[in-house]
Amino acid sequence: MLKIEGLTVHYGVIPAIKDLNIEVPQGKVVCLIGTNGSGKTTTLKGVSGIVKAKAGRILFEGKDLTKVDPHQIVHMGISQVPEGRGVFPDLTVLENLQLGAFIRKDKKAIKSDLEEIFSLFPRLEERKNQLSGTLSGGEQQMLAMGRALMARPKLLLLDEPSMGLAPIIVQEIFKIVRRINEEGTTVMLVEQNAKMALSVAHYGYVLETGEIVAQGTVNELKNDDMIRKIYLGIH
């Protein structure tokens, strides 16, 4: 579904990612793991058009996204849940979710999708008239995910969904990631919590200073000594 070929992105003169090659097959969860500053978020921003490629290209369903504007990329079927959640604090939960569907005209389907989001995230229904800025971190993460899903994406880009959340909430979020995928949405996941990422993904890439240093199926990565030691804390 998504193919990144030789992608290089610079911030000023500093290369953030260098000659990256990644594939995300339809219907799968692919994770990028690595420490802070390894280029994970930049990769997602490259896919969603927020940062521009210096070299290489990004193909989505065979179409080159490299020169496409972010809003057009959303229309093509890619939604991103940003790091830090990015909910609109002065709007209610319901208004945030409705904004997620702004590119759609199918009112009836929007209504049934809203009901689907509330079944995925019952807490959002309980708080639908509450201002988003008053929600807990976990609830804001659920809202950011729900808002992205309201665009009916074929590919969901998830950036650090566990960041700053209590372990019990993290488990809940990842259960929902698995369910979203089982219901047909392809997921590209960026996550520092390697253990959680590998619990839901089918395939993974390990990034260090903008380059891939390891890749493989989840089982291959879990059995790799370097990954076990550095990222999973297993000696």
Side-chain angles (χ1 to χ4, degrees):
M1 182 183 256
L2 183 77
K3 203 170 186 182
I4 298 174
E5 298 176 340
L7 185 67
T8 299
V9 173
H10 282 201
Y11 289 131
V13 293
I14 300 158
I17 47 178
K18 295 166 277 210
D19 195 25
L20 222 54
N21 294 289
I22 289 173
E23 287 188 18
V24 181
Q26 186 162 354
K28 301 293 183 190
V29 178
V30 171
C31 68
L32 306 185
I33 56 181
T35 52
N36 251 342
S38 58
K40 305 185 305 294
T41 292
T42 302
T43 304
L44 288 194
K45 285 180 172 175
V47 174
S48 55
I50 297 166
V51 297
K52 293 299 174 195
K54 189 167 175 66
R57 59 186 194 149
I58 300 162
L59 300 170
F60 178 64
E61 295 185 323
K63 299 182 196 82
D64 192 344
L65 299 183
T66 322
K67 306 264 189 299
V68 180
D69 288 334
H71 70 280
Q72 291 169 307
I73 289 173
V74 177
H75 277 277
M76 289 167 77
I78 298 177
S79 283
Q80 181 162 347
V81 180
E83 184 183 358
R85 307 186 257 280
V87 300
F88 296 100
D90 299 330
L91 298 180
T92 65
V93 166
L94 186 58
E95 287 165 338
N96 267 273
L97 291 171
Q98 287 166 334
L99 269 178
F102 82 99
I103 62 168
R104 296 172 55 188
K105 303 280 180 278
D106 47 344
K107 286 205 170 108
K108 217 180 209 168
I110 289 172
K111 200 169 177 245
S112 76
D113 283 358
L114 201 52
E115 282 161 18
E116 176 64 27
I117 296 299
F118 287 146
S119 82
L120 262 182
F121 305 103
R123 244 178 286 186
L124 295 184
E125 185 165 29
E126 289 163 23
R127 291 161 172 64
K128 65 182 178 189
N129 298 316
Q130 203 170 309
L131 289 181
S132 303
T134 64
L135 299 178
S136 70
E139 289 161 352
Q140 287 191 8
Q141 183 61 51
M142 291 172 191
L143 179 55
M145 288 166 70
R147 182 181 59 190
L149 290 169
M150 285 299 291
R152 273 210 182 162
K154 298 173 191 172
L155 174 64
L156 182 68
L157 308 176
L158 262 179
D159 195 356
E160 301 283 8
S162 78
M163 190 182 265
L165 302 181
I168 193 159
I169 302 292
V170 171
Q171 284 181 339
E172 201 177 324
I173 294 286
F174 275 88
K175 258 188 213 149
I176 293 162
V177 173
R178 193 180 284 118
R179 187 169 150 193
I180 290 165
N181 175 245
E182 282 165 0
E183 288 174 6
T185 306
T186 306
V187 179
M188 188 174 182
L189 167 70
V190 153
E191 183 53 76
Q192 261 188 313
N193 185 336
K195 208 177 220 164
M196 287 312 294
L198 294 174
S199 75
V200 296
H202 299 97
Y203 198 88
Y205 293 85
V206 181
L207 267 67
E208 263 177 37
T209 58
E211 295 179 88
I212 293 164
V213 293
Q215 67 182 76
T217 65
V218 167
N219 284 337
E220 286 166 349
L221 292 177
K222 280 180 181 169
N223 293 319
D224 181 302
D225 285 343
M226 178 203 63
I227 310 291
R228 285 163 69 86
K229 207 190 254 164
I230 298 172
Y231 296 101
L232 301 173
I234 303 165
H235 295 282

